[in-house]
Amino acid sequence: MTAQPFRRRGVPSRSWIGRLRDAVDALVRNSPSRFAILIFAGLVLLFTLLFSLPIARAGEGSGTPLYDALFTAVSVICVTGLATVDMATHWSPFGNALVFIGVNIGGIGVLTLASILGLVISRRLGLRAKLIAASDSNPSRIHVGPVSEGQAVRLGEVGGLLVTVAISALVIELVIAIAMIPSFLSAGYGAFHSVWYSFYYAAMAFTNTGFSPNPGGLAPFQSDFWMLSMLMIGVFLGSLGFPVIFALARSWRQPRRWSVHVKLTLTTTLILFVLGAAAFLLLEYDNPKTYGRLDAGTTIFESFFMSMMTRSGGFATIDMADLNGSSLLVTDMLMFVGGGSASTAGGIKVTTLAVLFLAAFAEARGAPAMEAFGRRIPRDILRLAVSVVLWGATIVAVSSIAISQITKQPLDFVLFDVISAFATCGLSTGLTADLPPSAVYVMAATMFMGRVGTVTLAAALAASQRRQLYRRPEERPIVG
């Protein structure tokens, strides 16, 4: 007689919800990077469907064409800021609400979002998912065992990081929105529109998106230094990265306790901010189409504003097509670098650039290892940085070739918009708005790979370290 499994009377067998939760839990533990990509792809498809509905478009008539709906969904979820339609007039209140919600979802980051959803669905965050979440917020190698002080966020603090993501986004956006309300009231907007526009701009600044809900964008506020400063603060805080905000919130009075990641992020960000402003001031001060018609003080302020917005902010008070060719090239470089790791900014990240320069300095001095702020940086971080840069350069090159072939437009304009798409910046020369459908799909893929690709590539490489019990013979190729 075969023993039958015991089943309590009245209790059904394991439900499909439980089996689904187990499957998601297994995917999170075994391949969190793949899970993150699936989450973002699912969000893009969902928002594409919602944006294509007639209710999402202003006025009466048919819905938005598929390619425009898809492009907007990718731009919103990837917090890019590029658009093929007029964001201020094309969408209905429902469509604008979708934009506002979408950028806040996308702004918390692909891996942090994946970790949160995995935690909610599976009720527990596996060790491998913690490794991935931590690796997205640490430039150093994540390993099992004792955790060094050099890591920005330890494995046991991932839960705290996730809470910080939600709280910091809510508080920062709320404070910036309240601070901007007087600017809209003084510009002649009603109370409702002043509040709505303020919260909209605050979300776009902190998430580094750059959409404008009002016709004319920032043009009416070009001389409102208070509002432009609030936008700069929002973009700066969003581009630092949640691990840096997390560390600063805990020990902002004790810089000596900051990790190497925090110090590298802050130092590199400030250096690029100042150098970028100096470059725009030098190259554009006599350009009558941009800063040549402004006084000295306004020109200096606008140069710093432009330098901050190229870090992935996406706002602009001037037409990018009016910039000199040299300024377009400087903007390309700043956009390609982007902001901090695990931030709302895109690009290859400032810590990646810092590691490359540290490696070059170490090689020039003949030093055996990279060092920064009294700490030694592992050599495998250099391999990770090179991989991220090559991935980004390949995406930009392939997309630029494809769009140049489709549109036959000047290369400097094509390269500018492609890098802006890859780095999820949102600045444009006007090329993106006039793209044919085939080029729209190419640009949408560029945005998706730029936002999801570099982060998941870094996380996958950091979490896939394996032991090798043998070493092959060494031979040095000729380099340089």
Side-chain angles (χ1 to χ4, degrees):
M1 182 176 179
T2 305
Q4 298 294 327
F6 174 77
R7 179 182 299 174
R8 184 181 299 176
R9 180 175 298 178
V11 177
S13 60
R14 192 168 183 80
S15 65
W16 65 271
I17 297 179
R19 292 193 296 270
L20 176 62
R21 190 179 62 204
D22 290 342
V24 172
D25 180 54
L27 180 61
V28 172
R29 286 186 287 105
N30 297 328
S31 182
S33 298
R34 187 180 304 171
F35 178 70
I37 295 175
L38 291 176
I39 290 296
F40 254 53
L43 286 172
V44 167
L45 293 177
L46 173 62
F47 274 77
T48 299
L49 175 62
L50 294 175
F51 279 125
S52 63
L53 296 176
I55 191 177
R57 185 170 181 176
E60 298 181 359
S62 60
T64 302
L66 176 61
Y67 56 88
D68 284 332
L70 174 64
F71 189 92
T72 304
V74 175
S75 186
V76 166
I77 296 299
C78 296
V79 291
T80 303
L82 290 174
T84 56
V85 299
D86 188 348
M87 298 297 292
T89 60
H90 182 85
W91 303 110
S92 66
F94 176 76
N96 284 317
L98 289 177
V99 174
F100 183 83
I101 295 172
V103 297
N104 280 285
I105 293 176
I108 65 176
V110 56
L111 297 179
T112 305
L113 174 63
S115 298
I116 292 175
L117 293 181
L119 179 63
V120 171
I121 296 176
S122 64
R123 297 182 183 177
R124 60 192 177 96
L125 191 62
L127 175 61
R128 191 173 179 83
K130 285 188 176 183
L131 290 173
I132 292 298
S135 67
D136 183 38
S137 58
N138 287 283
S140 58
R141 177 181 175 183
I142 306 300
H143 59 88
V144 179
V147 183
S148 67
E149 289 293 325
Q151 291 178 320
V153 181
R154 300 172 181 83
L155 293 179
E157 297 169 339
V158 172
L161 173 61
L162 302 185
V163 174
T164 303
V165 170
I167 294 179
S168 62
L170 177 63
V171 172
I172 293 174
E173 289 184 17
L174 179 62
V175 172
I176 293 176
I178 293 175
M180 287 194 299
I181 291 177
S183 293
F184 286 98
L185 290 174
S186 61
Y189 292 96
F192 173 79
H193 282 93
S194 296
V195 173
W196 164 241
Y197 288 164
S198 297
F199 277 89
Y200 192 102
Y201 269 109
M204 298 304 147
F206 182 70
T207 60
N208 281 216
T209 306
F211 288 134
S212 296
N214 59 308
L218 290 181
F221 305 95
Q222 189 171 12
S223 59
D224 189 343
F225 292 170
W226 171 257
M227 178 179 172
L228 298 182
S229 297
M230 291 299 102
L231 293 178
M232 291 172 65
I233 292 173
V235 170
F236 175 75
L237 294 176
S239 66
L240 283 181
F242 294 118
V244 176
I245 296 176
F246 186 54
L248 294 179
R250 290 182 302 171
S251 55
W252 64 276
R253 292 184 177 181
Q254 300 172 308
R256 292 184 177 181
R257 297 186 59 185
W258 294 351
S259 67
V260 172
H261 172 68
V262 174
K263 294 177 180 179
L264 279 179
T265 300
L266 291 175
T267 302
T268 310
T269 296
L270 292 176
I271 290 175
L272 291 177
F273 178 50
V274 174
L275 292 181
F280 289 121
L281 181 61
L282 177 64
L283 300 175
E284 293 293 324
Y285 78 96
D286 60 347
N287 186 348
K289 295 181 179 180
T290 56
Y291 301 156
R293 52 186 171 81
L294 305 176
D295 58 73
T298 304
T299 300
I300 294 174
F301 180 86
E302 290 289 344
S303 298
F304 278 100
F305 182 82
M306 183 65 180
S307 180
M308 180 59 67
M309 293 305 116
T310 57
R311 308 304 314 288
S312 190
F315 292 109
T317 56
I318 58 175
D319 190 346
M320 294 294 102
D322 292 336
L323 290 173
N324 293 322
S326 55
S327 299
L328 287 175
L329 185 58
V330 169
T331 307
D332 290 342
M333 293 187 291
L334 292 174
M335 290 190 301
F336 187 74
V337 174
S341 299
S343 72
T344 57
I348 62 172
K349 305 300 188 297
V350 293
T351 46
T352 303
L353 179 67
V355 167
L356 293 178
F357 271 97
L358 290 174
F361 293 152
E363 189 66 27
R365 297 195 312 266
M370 297 178 292
E371 295 181 354
F373 304 103
R375 293 291 188 270
R376 179 176 58 85
I377 299 178
R379 294 185 64 87
D380 59 344
I381 297 301
L382 176 59
R383 297 199 303 268
L384 184 60
V386 171
S387 299
V388 171
V389 172
L390 288 178
W391 170 263
T394 301
I395 294 174
V396 170
V398 173
S399 299
S400 297
I401 293 172
I403 293 179
S404 294
Q405 178 64 24
I406 295 172
T407 63
K408 310 299 184 183
Q409 293 295 318
L411 179 60
D412 53 350
F413 283 12
V414 172
L415 186 62
F416 186 99
D417 279 41
V418 167
I419 293 179
S420 180
F422 163 77
T424 65
C425 179
L427 295 174
S428 176
T429 59
L431 174 73
T432 300
D434 298 328
L435 289 177
S438 57
V440 168
Y441 291 123
V442 174
M443 194 71 83
T446 304
M447 290 190 296
F448 186 84
M449 290 187 291
R451 176 61 177 170
V452 181
T454 55
V455 179
T456 53
L457 173 66
L461 292 177
S464 61
Q465 301 288 339
R466 63 175 183 173
R467 293 186 60 190
Q468 187 167 312
L469 302 179
Y470 63 90
R471 298 181 64 183
R472 299 188 183 276
E474 186 178 88
E475 185 172 347
R476 298 175 66 88
I478 299 175
V479 176

